Amino acid sequence: MNEEAGHSKNETEETMTNRQGHPVTDNQNLRSIGNRGPTTLENYDLLEKISHFDRERIPERVVHARGAGAHGYFEAYGTVGDEPISKYTRANLFQEKGKRTPVFVRFSTVTHGTASPETLRDPRGFAVKFYTDEGNWDLVGNNLKIFFIRDALKFPDLIHAFKPDPVTNVQDGERIFDFISQSPEATHMITFLFSPWGIPANYRSMQGSGVNTYKWVNKEGKGVLIKYHWEPKHPIKNLTQEEAEAIQAKNFNHATQDLYEAIEREDYPEWELSVQILSDDDHPELDFDPLDPTKIWYKEDVPWQPVGKMVLNKNPEDYFAEVEQVSFGTGVLVDGLDFSDDKLLQGRTFSYSDTQRYRVGSNYLQLPINSPKKHVATNQRGGQMEYKVDKGMKQNPHVNYEPSIIGGLKEAEQDGKDHTPYVEGEMKRASIDRENNFGQAGETYRRFSDFEKEELISNLVSALKPCREEIQTQMINNFKQADADYGQRVEDKLKMTRDEEDSSHRNPIGSTESESAIKQSEEEGHPSDPY
């Protein structure tokens, strides 16, 4: 570094800056109104960091690159428990019992490339596009109900740690656990990921969850907090590491193949959609913040209430045109659905749609797989690959602005009152008040069966063995804070195996369905979801 620049070599190497050279004094928290949010658009560091991250891969998805998909329909029940659903939301697709809405679903792994095996230890994406009468609704989530982090500012760091080393291009468990050990809120997700729940047997037999907290809004403008859950009709099945490796040795496309063949033989996959509902406040009676995406709302505290079912009954006609180019966004909501102040959700809402404009193009919503089933009329024009103009059928072609008295588009009438939550607080960088980073990780461990605990400990120890001692020590400390037995078992087994390092286990997320393996899994009775 040139001394004239006013920085020593040591400072240049050790002090973090943004791309403009500005010192980064807080790389853990975005700015929000009060500790709980909402966030503000002037989060420059977040926007710059996320927008650069969105453009790191061409043309493959930065995350969720490996995927499979299918068409189907959602059928509404019209009620929440014994109550009409209109009490909670005015969203049209839910109101009428038996009403069917076309859907397209994309399942995926998260951190690996397009040709990677589908038996790798990794969360699974579960994204649903509803083509409603009022436009598209995208419900984007995963199979594990929670996430690693609670602040969107950390998302690029998380994925960088899980992606291959930038020098060796090899995924490295030490990099992963280096990050996780310093991110205590990730202890809960790691506990799920390294248990059998980290490798679903196939897409038809796995759950889905919206992960983030959303809102429903009724016609009076009243909002409630919502969590979404998909429960499969098929029994839930997961794989042990050994079972996954046996499958990978024979077929690294097993989940895609299983989904395609099931639909072809008319054994249509089916899920029931349930919601959990809480009043729209901070719930001081809980030992965690209900907006925290690293936490579960336990069924016994907040019951799952069915609101509809989804059936997948048609395979794609062209993989690239449909599965590869389908584009989801957490901000794609219809009237009656709304955002909460969940900081991860608010960051995802910018990132997802920004990524699609970069990856597929500024007119990605004109592609058939992404286009709403209703007529679209906007004043937006131009952009790469535009092939039609989304204008009103009776619109004056000379008017592409609003307002106008000579034939332009007019604002739609709103069916219900605005939801107007009151927000007040200092704008600051801060985490939520009730972090409770280890409580639910311990509870999840204690709810595991003995078989699940054994598999969890074995997988963690295999992954931690190659890591340097200070990383092992911090991870053990985190596990002990979650549950003393949990941490002690990891520590004891690490000591036993420390002198027997096996370099073939250096990649903890990588590993590798034969019918016999699935049969064995079923016979062992892998438990249904207790959460």
Side-chain angles (χ1 to χ4, degrees):
M1 178 72 182
N2 190 332
E3 293 295 329
E4 294 180 0
H7 299 286
S8 67
K9 183 175 186 295
N10 185 59
E11 183 181 355
T12 301
E13 289 178 345
E14 296 187 358
T15 300
M16 178 180 286
T17 74
N18 63 18
R19 298 294 291 263
Q20 301 283 7
H22 306 156
V24 176
T25 58
D26 187 343
N27 191 44
Q28 314 307 316
N29 304 288
L30 50 72
R31 297 186 74 189
S32 60
I33 307 299
N35 289 16
R36 300 180 77 241
T39 63
T40 58
L41 188 60
E42 56 77 44
N43 267 279
Y44 179 79
D45 282 347
L46 169 68
L47 298 184
E48 289 297 295
K49 187 176 181 180
I50 291 288
S51 60
H52 179 85
F53 173 74
D54 291 345
R55 292 159 172 78
E56 286 185 1
R57 298 290 187 274
I58 288 181
E60 182 178 286
R61 283 173 166 88
V62 180
V63 288
H64 298 280
R66 175 74 198 247
H71 298 267
Y73 63 86
F74 173 77
E75 184 174 308
Y77 294 164
T79 58
V80 176
D82 297 328
E83 299 177 305
I85 205 162
S86 58
K87 177 179 177 180
Y88 298 102
T89 179
R90 60 184 186 242
N92 181 263
L93 81 157
F94 290 118
Q95 303 303 318
E96 180 186 341
K97 182 180 179 180
K99 180 179 177 63
R100 290 188 175 184
T101 298
V103 300
F104 185 82
V105 180
R106 188 176 189 271
F107 305 103
S108 57
T109 56
V110 176
T111 60
H112 305 282
T114 54
S116 58
E118 293 180 302
T119 41
L120 301 180
R121 187 172 302 282
D122 202 10
R124 300 302 193 268
F126 195 126
V128 184
K129 186 178 292 292
F130 298 78
Y131 302 95
T132 85
D133 296 339
E134 298 176 309
N136 291 349
W137 169 35
D138 292 350
L139 179 54
V140 189
N142 72 33
N143 66 313
L144 292 177
K145 301 184 182 65
I146 56 173
F147 201 59
F148 297 92
I149 54 174
R150 62 172 66 96
D151 195 302
L153 193 64
K154 299 305 298 177
F155 189 73
D157 298 297
L158 167 71
I159 301 302
H160 284 171
F162 276 69
K163 288 283 192 179
D165 185 304
V167 177
T168 66
N169 200 37
V170 175
Q171 196 179 27
D172 188 340
E174 185 167 89
R175 286 164 36 83
I176 293 170
F177 282 104
D178 184 29
F179 177 85
I180 295 299
S181 69
Q182 302 303 305
S183 306
E185 71 271 26
T187 307
H188 194 192
M189 185 67 161
I190 284 293
T191 300
F192 270 115
L193 185 60
F194 280 81
S195 78
W197 292 85
I199 312 179
N202 55 58
Y203 296 130
R204 294 184 299 133
S205 300
M206 78 177 193
Q207 296 171 306
S209 170
V211 178
N212 295 108
T213 302
Y214 288 86
K215 286 184 183 180
W216 273 1
V217 179
N218 64 17
K219 286 198 173 186
E220 288 70 49
K222 181 181 178 181
V224 291
L225 301 179
I226 291 288
K227 288 268 197 181
Y228 296 102
H229 300 282
W230 295 105
E231 188 74 3
K233 178 181 178 181
H234 287 76
I236 300 168
K237 291 186 290 189
N238 302 307
L239 299 176
T240 66
Q241 186 68 44
E242 183 179 0
E243 291 167 346
E245 290 171 356
I247 294 164
Q248 182 171 315
K250 297 180 179 180
N251 184 358
F252 65 90
N253 304 294
H254 80 283
T256 294
Q257 182 177 343
D258 175 83
L259 178 67
Y260 182 88
E261 291 179 351
I263 294 174
E264 285 298 294
R265 66 174 180 266
E266 300 184 358
D267 180 13
Y268 298 138
E270 183 176 324
W271 289 261
E272 186 168 62
L273 179 63
S274 292
V275 297
Q276 292 176 287
I277 303 175
L278 282 175
S279 58
D280 186 12
D281 56 77
D282 61 359
H283 289 273
E285 76 280 4
L286 300 175
D287 64 1
F288 65 93
D289 192 311
L291 301 185
D292 186 347
T294 70
K295 303 296 191 295
I296 289 172
W297 298 0
Y298 289 116
K299 286 180 178 179
E300 59 264 35
D301 300 324
V302 189
W304 286 24
Q305 303 189 67
V307 296
K309 70 175 183 179
M310 178 174 70
V311 177
L312 300 183
N313 58 6
K314 181 179 182 297
N315 280 312
E317 296 179 6
D318 183 90
Y319 179 88
F320 181 82
E322 296 166 72
V323 182
E324 184 60 24
Q325 292 198 118
V326 66
S327 302
F328 298 92
T330 56
V332 184
L333 305 174
V334 295
D335 184 48
L337 312 180
D338 209 341
F339 306 97
S340 75
D341 294 335
D342 178 340
K343 294 183 184 181
L344 182 65
L345 172 61
Q346 296 199 0
R348 290 177 76 200
T349 294
F350 168 77
S351 181
Y352 271 69
S353 296
D354 183 53
T355 300
Q356 308 305 350
R357 281 186 287 271
Y358 165 69
R359 191 181 70 86
V360 184
S362 55
N363 286 296
Y364 73 96
L365 288 172
Q366 292 190 349
L367 295 176
I369 193 64
N370 296 319
S371 179
K373 303 300 183 186
K374 62 169 291 186
H375 177 68
V376 174
T378 80
N379 285 323
Q380 293 177 260
R381 297 291 187 274
Q384 184 181 27
M385 300 297 289
E386 182 191 53
Y387 71 94
K388 62 178 181 179
V389 178
D390 295 326
K391 62 182 180 179
M393 290 179 284
K394 300 179 180 179
Q395 184 180 356
N396 184 334
H398 299 282
V399 179
N400 62 345
Y401 51 86
E402 190 279 329
S404 166
I405 61 173
I406 60 172
L409 295 172
K410 306 298 182 185
E411 293 175 327
E413 293 184 8
Q414 183 168 303
D415 184 22
K417 295 180 180 179
D418 276 338
H419 177 55
T420 57
Y422 180 75
V423 178
E424 181 182 74
E426 296 177 339
M427 183 181 294
K428 58 184 179 180
R429 292 182 181 272
S431 185
I432 58 178
D433 292 322
R434 289 166 287 166
E435 291 186 342
N436 196 357
N437 291 320
F438 303 108
Q440 285 201 359
E443 181 64 22
T444 291
Y445 172 78
R446 291 185 290 273
R447 292 189 183 206
F448 278 161
S449 66
D450 290 342
F451 155 74
E452 289 174 310
K453 289 178 181 177
E454 288 288 345
E455 185 72 10
L456 168 65
I457 302 302
S458 176
N459 292 332
L460 282 171
V461 169
S462 294
L464 283 166
K465 276 195 302 182
C467 298
R468 60 192 71 189
E469 189 171 348
E470 55 265 42
I471 294 174
Q472 295 177 350
T473 299
Q474 185 60 58
M475 287 304 305
I476 290 168
N477 180 57
N478 290 354
F479 295 143
K480 284 184 175 179
Q481 290 189 71
D483 183 275
D485 178 69
Y486 183 7
Q488 192 63 53
R489 289 177 66 175
V490 173
E491 183 176 28
D492 291 347
K493 192 158 186 176
L494 264 176
K495 286 179 179 177
M496 289 173 54
T497 60
R498 192 164 282 150
D499 297 330
E500 304 170 3
E501 280 195 10
D502 182 354
S503 60
S504 67
H505 286 85
R506 188 164 181 80
N507 178 0
I509 308 296
S511 65
T512 18
E513 156 168 12
S514 64
E515 292 183 2
S516 61
I518 288 295
K519 187 173 186 296
Q520 176 188 351
S521 172
E522 292 171 338
E523 289 172 351
E524 289 178 354
H526 291 185
S528 295
D529 173 33
Y531 310 102

